[in-house]
Amino acid sequence: MIIDGKKEAALIRDKIKKEIASLKIDRNKVPGLSVILIGDFAPSLIYVKNKEKNSKEVGINSEIIRYSDNITEKEILSKIEELNKNENVSGILVQLPLPKQINKEKIINAIHPKKDVDGFHPINVGNLSSGYKAIVPCTPLGCLLLIKKIEKSLSGKHAVIIGRSNLNGKPMAQLLLKENCTVTVVHSKTKDLKLECQKADILVAAVGVANLVKSDWVKKDSIIIDVGINKLGDRLVGDVDFESVKDKAKAITPVPGGVGPMTIACLLKNTLECFKAQ
Ligand code: NAP
């Protein structure tokens, strides 16, 4: 089975749109999302425009705040402070990567945890790892929703995650632990990657290496979630060699059209949750 991330994301957006429409009628208020974009790094520009377009489509008041590459850290911090205090702003997102003069940690820490739609603030990271209510990073949240579409109960499943980034691998591990999976996280220093992956009932690849996972790395009838987005010539491919793996897996996400659309849908979901919590 090929997991249709576009279709799942459209269902989520539809639900959000209806909820926002009724919030507007009941309370005459809608969620607001402020996205800070620094510089003109082409992929960031595409991501941010996509986020804005999707936000507007579901009725979120979205704004992009743009700065040139030479902006100071102080100016960004003061903008974040202003957005933290603004009642019409439910969520704040600072698009990464940042220019060298700006300290990513300081910026993430400055966003109010209740407005941290990316789920990167240490309070949200800590809440997630403690098993408490947290704002969860959008990509792993999207992956979990796709996995749960295939398998309702994940209890006792062996999940293997390739990659240990704060953005993907680590929160994915926390989410799957919460679902009572046995979780193995592998990375660039892992001794025998293939052997570890072969044990996975659920394999999540969040690496950034084109077609790394081959057919003989995966267990028959496993669920394969491919987070990777890699350019190969003029094509976009994932971290999983889709053609060779798709007939062995029970279910697999394609690239593009798998995890990507879910990431944006989960950003909208997080923005709505932040609005409601505030
Ligand atoms: P990252 O921060 O670069 O982390 C990559 C992880 O993979 C690291 O933990 C690294 O290990 C590990 N790794 C690298 N090469 C490896 C290898 N040959 N064997 C085993 N492990 C290896 O990347 P990221 O931000 O998590 O992103 C991962 C991929 O997901 C990228 O392709 C990115 O573009 C994509 N992405 C997609 C979405 C989406 O919406 N679909 C969202 C975000 C990111 P070490 O820790 O040991 O260095």
Side-chain angles (χ1 to χ4, degrees):
M1 177 191 184
I2 314 272
I3 305 171
D4 190 343
K6 272 191 190 167
K7 187 174 147 203
E8 285 310 318
L11 291 173
I12 295 172
R13 287 199 304 271
D14 210 41
K15 225 173 129 187
I16 294 172
K17 193 174 177 175
K18 284 185 181 131
E19 195 170 342
I20 292 178
S22 71
L23 279 168
K24 199 174 175 181
I25 294 168
D26 295 345
R27 303 215 213 146
N28 199 25
K29 263 190 126 184
V30 295
L33 174 65
S34 294
V35 179
I36 296 179
L37 173 63
I38 307 166
D40 45 19
F41 181 52
S44 292
L45 206 61
I46 296 170
Y47 292 143
V48 163
K49 288 214 159 132
N50 242 330
K51 287 168 186 175
E52 190 194 30
K53 178 175 166 280
N54 279 266
S55 299
K56 290 201 162 144
E57 275 169 13
V58 298
I60 292 173
N61 251 340
S62 160
E63 62 164 350
I64 302 176
I65 303 163
R66 286 196 70 172
Y67 293 104
S68 61
D69 254 333
N70 55 10
I71 187 86
T72 64
E73 189 178 276
K74 203 173 157 202
E75 282 170 281
I76 301 294
L77 289 172
S78 111
K79 186 67 191 175
I80 292 174
E81 194 47 41
E82 180 194 317
L83 296 171
N84 280 340
K85 289 182 186 146
N86 185 339
E87 276 188 13
N88 294 319
V89 175
S90 331
I92 304 166
L93 183 160
V94 180
Q95 184 66 43
L96 303 177
L98 298 173
K100 281 194 199 80
Q101 76 275 15
I102 297 175
N103 181 319
K104 185 172 87 177
E105 194 181 331
K106 267 195 191 168
I107 297 296
I108 290 173
N109 289 359
I111 297 172
H112 194 291
K114 284 194 167 174
K115 295 193 176 191
D116 169 38
V117 280
D118 261 336
F120 295 161
H121 192 286
I123 295 263
N124 283 311
V125 176
N127 280 339
L128 176 65
S129 62
S130 303
Y132 304 148
K133 191 173 161 50
I135 303 171
V136 177
C138 306
T139 303
L141 178 59
C143 293
L144 182 71
L145 295 177
L146 290 180
I147 296 167
K148 292 202 80 173
K149 272 275 157 181
I150 306 299
E151 205 84 62
K152 288 270 171 296
S153 168
L154 306 182
S155 185
K157 303 274 181 208
H158 191 162
V160 176
I161 300 155
I162 321 177
R164 55 174 163 177
S165 69
N166 290 341
L167 184 71
N168 292 309
K170 284 182 196 155
M172 191 74 246
Q174 296 299 348
L175 285 173
L176 289 168
L177 272 176
K178 213 172 166 188
E179 293 291 330
N180 295 320
C181 288
T182 301
V183 178
T184 304
V185 180
V186 296
H187 45 78
S188 70
K189 306 291 183 290
T190 298
K191 288 255 163 23
D192 194 337
L193 206 58
K194 177 175 163 182
L195 183 72
E196 297 300 333
C197 291
Q198 285 170 337
K199 299 174 193 162
D201 301 310
I202 299 163
L203 181 66
V204 181
V207 196
V209 177
N211 298 330
L212 175 76
V213 177
K214 310 285 183 209
S215 166
D216 60 345
W217 286 37
V218 308
K219 193 177 186 176
K220 199 172 177 307
D221 292 331
S222 53
I223 298 174
I224 313 288
I225 304 293
D226 193 349
V227 179
I229 303 175
N230 311 290
K231 259 200 149 180
L232 201 63
D234 54 4
R235 281 189 317 135
L236 277 187
V237 299
D239 294 336
V240 179
D241 183 10
F242 183 82
E243 282 310 315
S244 77
V245 172
K246 74 176 192 313
D247 295 326
K248 199 169 178 189
K250 175 179 176 181
I252 181 168
T253 57
V255 176
V259 173
M262 290 297 284
T263 297
I264 297 197
C266 287
L267 171 68
L268 309 178
K269 192 172 155 58
N270 280 353
T271 306
L272 176 57
E273 291 305 321
C274 285
F275 172 77
K276 291 199 284 188
Q278 286 160 45

